[in-house]
Amino acid sequence: MDENVLVTITVSRKKEEIVYRVDCAKDVKSEELAHYLDEIIEGICTWKPEVCEETVKSIMGTIRETGRKK
């Protein structure tokens, strides 16, 4: 990991699933990571408010792709 990079979020396709991965630098504490993720989510909610409706209660680790032939 580049020494200037604190957190990376990667979304990739593996077979029939969309998988996400979060990596952070060794010196990033849990509280810092939580803060960074909160800020990222806030930015996403500003950009795409419809994905941040208060009805969302949980998030899963994989996302099935729609519209793709098997």
Side-chain angles (χ1 to χ4, degrees), residues 3-64:
E3 66 183 52
N4 294 319
V5 176
L6 298 176
V7 178
T8 60
I9 300 172
T10 305
V11 180
S12 59
R13 182 177 292 121
K14 289 189 179 181
K15 298 187 181 185
E16 297 299 318
E17 293 182 320
I18 303 297
V19 182
Y20 69 86
R21 176 180 170 155
V22 178
D23 293 302
C24 63
K26 286 187 252 181
D27 59 341
V28 173
K29 296 178 179 151
S30 294
E31 298 83 19
E32 289 175 296
L33 178 59
H35 174 72
Y36 299 151
L37 294 176
D38 285 343
E39 292 294 318
I40 291 166
I41 291 168
E42 185 177 319
I44 291 169
C45 290
T46 300
W47 174 53
K48 292 280 191 182
E50 65 275 11
V51 301
C52 298
E53 294 176 359
E54 291 189 31
T55 57
V56 176
K57 300 292 182 197
S58 63
I59 298 174
M60 295 183 67
T62 60
I63 304 166
R64 280 183 252 137

